[in-house]
Amino acid sequence: MSRLTKFLENELDRINDYLGMAKGNLTVVSELCENRLSQISPALDSNECQVVDYLNKELILLSIKISESKQIISNFKNYYHNLETPIELNK
């Protein structure tokens, strides 16, 4: 594996790690919105309710995009591994 390719793979691994952390943080926010922040505040005003309702809809889309991004990285790594495997077998 070339140094450039290894560098790219390491960077994609780092991005994948960040996406995993984002997904974990997103879970916390999603759970807070689903229970309407009852663990933090006993009552929400109308603006807060609008924000929570908006986030309840949008956080699902964000979660899907994170999962899709992680899948793109996984697909690349599989592609590159499959591309490089025949080369290594001939050595």
Side-chain angles (χ1 to χ4, degrees):
M1 183 181 307
S2 74
R3 287 189 291 173
L4 178 60
T5 305
K6 188 63 177 170
F7 171 78
L8 291 173
E9 184 178 24
N10 288 339
E11 290 302 306
L12 287 172
D13 285 341
R14 187 184 341 228
I15 291 168
N16 202 32
D17 290 344
Y18 290 144
L19 288 169
M21 288 185 277
K23 186 89 170 189
N25 291 341
L26 186 61
T27 300
V28 172
V29 173
S30 296
E31 288 173 359
L32 287 171
C33 286
E34 286 172 7
N35 70 25
R36 309 211 41 90
L37 305 174
S38 63
Q39 297 170 338
I40 297 172
S41 175
L44 300 176
D45 65 27
S46 63
N47 284 342
E48 292 169 330
C49 286
Q50 288 177 351
V51 168
V52 168
D53 291 341
Y54 176 84
L55 283 176
N56 270 328
K57 295 176 199 167
E58 297 298 319
L59 290 176
I60 293 168
L61 297 175
L62 186 56
S63 178
I64 290 168
K65 289 179 187 287
I66 290 171
S67 295
E68 288 173 348
S69 298
K70 288 176 74 63
Q71 187 60 50
I72 289 169
I73 292 170
S74 178
N75 290 348
F76 168 76
K77 290 181 82 166
N78 288 335
Y79 164 79
Y80 186 75
H81 176 74
N82 290 336
L83 186 67
E84 190 169 67
T85 299
I87 295 169
E88 289 180 356
L89 290 176
N90 291 330
K91 287 183 178 179

